[in-house]
Amino acid sequence: MAGRQPRRTRIGDAVVVLGVAGGLALVGVSGCGRSGAATGGGGGGTTAGEVAAVVREAADALVDAGSSKARTSMEMATGGTRVTIRGEGVYDYRKRIGRLKVLLPQDPSGAPVSRPITELLAPGALFMKNRGAGVPADKWVRVDTGTLPDGNLVTGGVTDPFTAAELLRGARTATYVGRTELAGAPVRHYRGTADLHEAAQAASEANRRTLGAAASGFATPEVPFDVYLDDQGRIRKVRHRFSFMNEERSAPVAVASTTLLYDFGAPVDVRLPKADDIYAGRIAKERAGGVGQSASRE
């Protein structure tokens, strides 16, 4: 947004270099109606407003689809080093729950990395198993995503697929780039910029607090995106570019988060942990720049 000064925050490269030192570095924690334009001819809209409307409705198309499988990647380049964190799993867009297996990047020294981290995504909460940092192997860590400065768009090493879709509800500008093919499916490519404040206002109740936190915590509320929609208006691929200000760096840290969705209608069987299975102790500080944190019970 023009004239808005970047906000400094303690998230940034420390958050997304997730586990190079052995575990996710957590930080700072102790709809709209369908117009049907997505299935129209050409670019799914003829005017700039119609094109932006198609993008804003992509989250609704996912709810209509019910569920899907997902692959994610999060990339950051800083100090001459590029780090990529990958995830894979399933998501239910009606219940707003999902399960992802997150693969940490290889240690630059070539040392073996820890086992994949299992993440359960739920409205307002992130659960992690095999968290490391002193957490018992049979326990889950629970994080209230509404308290995270990035709304968990970055902290978990993946972006919640439905939150990624609802971020597009804040699409201020969108341009139809053209038709192409993605994994054998014909898709329409759109490019534009979303505003986190507007996305938070238009989001479902479960994501308003999350996106509102990100709007306040990011270096800028403006998020450039590329999204590929199929002929049913469903997201097949979306890429967001986030920007952070880190207290230890004068320049913003850039993060690119990509989500691929496929196999719509796939079965999703996710059971959230019981209270006794959630770790209630304090998580050890991690000097990747992360902040010590207490897990909480539901």
Side-chain angles (χ1 to χ4, degrees):
M1 189 177 298
R4 184 170 292 179
Q5 295 299 315
R7 300 178 177 86
R8 290 187 174 271
T9 176
R10 295 196 60 159
I11 55 183
D13 54 349
V15 177
V16 292
V17 184
L18 292 177
V20 172
L24 289 173
L26 300 172
V27 295
V29 182
S30 297
C32 56
R34 304 289 304 281
S35 72
T39 57
T46 56
T47 68
E50 289 174 342
V51 171
V54 170
V55 172
R56 288 194 293 267
E57 293 175 357
D60 297 316
L62 292 182
V63 174
D64 290 345
S67 65
S68 77
K69 294 182 179 179
R71 291 194 185 99
T72 68
S73 69
M74 189 165 289
E75 305 171 8
M76 186 198 67
T78 181
T81 301
R82 181 175 297 276
V83 174
T84 302
I85 301 154
R86 302 188 186 279
E88 184 170 1
V90 293
Y91 198 93
D92 186 318
Y93 302 102
R94 294 173 184 168
K95 296 180 180 179
R96 312 292 200 262
I97 58 175
R99 181 181 62 252
L100 296 171
K101 181 179 291 185
V102 179
L103 302 176
L104 303 179
Q106 185 177 15
D107 189 298
S109 68
V113 296
S114 63
R115 292 177 299 165
I117 293 173
T118 299
E119 296 191 1
L120 303 183
L121 309 169
L126 166 67
F127 299 86
M128 294 178 293
K129 198 169 189 180
N130 193 33
R131 164 66 176 83
V135 179
D138 62 342
K139 294 292 185 180
W140 293 84
V141 172
R142 182 188 185 279
V143 180
D144 179 350
T145 55
T147 66
L148 296 172
D150 68 306
N152 196 38
L153 291 173
V154 172
T155 292
V158 299
T159 301
D160 179 303
F162 192 66
T163 305
E166 290 222 286
L167 198 162
L168 297 176
R169 293 195 192 278
R172 291 184 140 199
T173 63
T175 301
Y176 174 59
V177 179
R179 290 189 68 90
T180 184
E181 189 173 283
L182 189 64
V187 293
R188 297 185 177 97
H189 179 191
Y190 300 89
R191 178 175 294 142
T193 301
D195 182 273
L196 282 163
H197 292 289
E198 296 184 13
Q201 292 174 4
S204 61
E205 183 176 355
N207 276 332
R208 285 173 195 161
R209 187 176 175 218
T210 295
L211 289 170
S216 299
F218 278 19
T220 171
E222 295 181 341
V223 179
F225 66 83
D226 281 85
V227 63
Y228 299 79
L229 307 181
D230 63 17
D231 289 339
Q232 287 73 50
R234 303 173 302 193
I235 295 173
R236 291 301 184 114
K237 177 180 178 180
V238 61
R239 182 177 177 86
H240 296 106
R241 291 175 292 283
F242 303 120
S243 180
F244 300 96
M245 292 299 296
N246 188 310
E247 290 180 346
E248 298 178 359
R249 296 181 180 275
S250 58
V253 177
V255 180
S257 176
T258 302
T259 303
L260 296 169
L261 304 178
Y262 61 102
D263 198 0
F264 291 98
V268 178
D269 183 13
V270 175
R271 300 180 184 181
L272 299 182
K274 298 178 180 179
D276 290 345
D277 295 326
I278 298 174
Y279 182 63
R282 185 168 182 80
I283 299 173
K285 277 191 176 183
E286 295 179 350
R287 295 314 303 166
V291 179
Q293 165 172 338
S294 295
S296 63
R297 292 182 182 272
E298 288 183 292

